[in-house]
Amino acid sequence: MSTTTTQPDGTGTPGQDTAQELLFEVKGHVAHLTLNRPKALNSISHDLDLRLQQAWQEINDNPDIWVAVLSASGDRAFCAGADVGGGPEAHASRLALGGGLTGIGGPLLKLKKPLIAAVHGYALGGGFELAMCADIIVAADTAQFGLPETKAGIIGECGVVHRAIRQLPHRIAMAMILTGERLGAQDALQYGLVNEVTSREELEAAAAAWAEKICAASPLAVQAAKHAALERAGYPLEVALATRFEPIEAYANSADSKEGPKAFAEKRKPVWSGR
């Protein structure tokens, strides 16, 4: 597939406008989203929240997009959370932080496709939660994950603490929540929060390598597996085992389900269509 630069609503443009708060580009089967407010530490403004919501919807609806990579411009931060200086309009849409991906203060948007977060610098508060919404996290060695809310005397709709306590060892998460102290990239790797640590210069390439690995698998099978794993993650094993998952059942009638065995019999790599 050719490289396509798009607006978050999917309409094509001649090139990226660097004034945009979100850069959205599709290369092959990979959607690349870049938070583009470096002077504001890539905090989520009202406009950026709207643009992200449009981008997630485009990714969900476009069958030719198989995986998404979320990164940020500048060198200081991945995302410092909500833009607290955004004024009352920042909460008017109730899309929730990150276009609804985190579900903070609004409806939770479920991304069907795998999401890779490429994190560098500060990932704080809602920015930390935005990273934890990803299925794969690649971190630069400069990454610092933190929950500064209690240290700053601010606490509200704290979805980030619920994700942290589920994705980190209990006492590590509680120490971060209660003290506001940050977690560095190597410690995050040790505790299983991130999949890989690399240099800032190699971060983009590392995220692209993970996207390539995912694209080598059947996209429909990947989406069905993600749905099944997350839909019953908080349930007892017995309930999960007894659940029928519609995406898995639908996959049985797809072209990709036939391509896998055919490619194996012909001793070649499968050519997935995502159909």
Side-chain angles (χ1 to χ4, degrees):
M1 295 180 65
S2 60
T3 298
T4 308
T5 301
T6 67
Q7 295 281 354
D9 62 2
T11 58
T13 64
Q16 289 180 337
D17 177 3
T18 55
Q20 290 182 357
E21 295 195 343
L22 177 71
L23 305 181
F24 183 91
E25 186 177 20
V26 178
K27 297 179 181 179
H29 293 294
V30 183
H32 296 267
L33 299 85
T34 306
L35 306 179
N36 192 39
R37 304 185 73 224
K39 292 182 179 179
L41 299 182
N42 295 309
S43 58
I44 307 296
S45 66
H46 174 62
D47 184 60
L48 180 52
D49 194 39
L50 291 172
R51 290 176 180 273
L52 279 166
Q53 194 273 339
Q54 294 167 352
W56 303 135
Q57 197 60 58
E58 163 68 9
I59 291 165
N60 270 345
D61 293 344
N62 188 339
D64 290 322
I65 295 176
W66 297 355
V67 61
V69 176
L70 177 65
S71 60
S73 59
D75 291 321
R76 295 180 62 196
F78 169 74
C79 177
D83 184 355
V84 295
E89 72 278 4
H91 300 287
S93 64
R94 304 302 288 176
L95 289 175
L97 185 72
L101 192 67
T102 67
I104 298 177
L108 175 64
L109 185 151
K110 295 184 178 180
L111 192 64
K112 300 175 184 177
K113 317 294 175 67
L115 175 62
I116 300 166
V119 180
H120 74 278
Y122 299 122
L124 306 178
F128 182 20
E129 178 165 15
L130 195 57
M132 286 191 287
C133 288
D135 303 294
I136 301 288
I137 299 178
V138 182
D141 50 19
T142 62
Q144 293 282 324
F145 302 92
L147 296 84
E149 287 84 352
T150 56
K151 198 170 186 176
I154 302 171
I155 196 70
E157 295 162 323
C158 52
V160 64
V161 304
H162 302 300
R163 293 185 191 274
I165 201 69
R166 287 164 172 77
Q167 296 190 27
L168 283 162
H170 180 89
R171 288 174 181 82
I172 300 302
M174 288 306 299
M176 294 180 70
I177 293 166
L178 300 178
T179 69
E181 291 184 354
R182 299 171 189 159
L183 190 69
Q186 289 296 336
D187 286 335
L189 180 65
Q190 176 187 345
Y191 297 128
L193 179 69
V194 307
N195 298 82
E196 181 181 356
V197 174
T198 184
S199 68
R200 175 71 178 96
E201 294 74 21
E202 297 174 338
L203 183 62
E204 182 179 348
W210 280 99
E212 184 178 356
K213 290 178 184 179
I214 294 173
C215 285
S218 164
L220 294 181
V222 164
Q223 292 163 39
K226 173 176 175 173
H227 174 267
L230 297 184
E231 281 296 303
R232 289 296 178 266
Y235 288 76
L237 179 60
E238 292 80 4
V239 174
L241 293 175
T243 302
R244 295 177 63 182
F245 299 99
E246 290 184 7
I248 291 179
E249 294 181 350
Y251 180 70
N253 298 317
S254 69
D256 278 0
S257 71
K258 300 175 179 62
E259 169 62 10
K262 182 179 179 181
F264 180 80
E266 295 175 358
K267 298 181 180 179
R268 61 173 175 82
K269 290 183 177 181
V271 180
W272 309 115
S273 66
R275 304 299 199 275

